[in-house]
Amino acid sequence: FVIGGAKLYAEALAHPQCDDLYVTKMFGRFNCDAHFPDYSEGFKCIYASNITVLKPSNCAFFRYIKN
């Protein structure tokens, strides 16, 4: 698992052993300046949860595997 900034995420996605992504998507407005890199070209979604209602924002959980 990788927890870090945008640069660490990009390095992890480029690593040859990165085959799976477990992603939590938060639905809300956040004051931030770094974002997770685009992974749509290299991975496909194999699991998507229902939206979990939390305060102050909602979230959903996803699993992606490398194409």
Side-chain angles (χ1 to χ4, degrees), residues 27-59:
F27 303 101
R29 294 198 178 268
F30 303 97
N31 185 16
C32 58
D33 60 356
H35 302 277
F36 198 82
D38 181 30
Y39 51 89
S40 60
E41 292 295 319
F43 292 85
K44 67 178 178 178
C45 185
I46 62 167
Y47 173 80
S49 74
N50 292 325
I51 294 176
T52 301
V53 177
L54 302 170
K55 291 184 180 180
S57 62
N58 302 326
C59 64

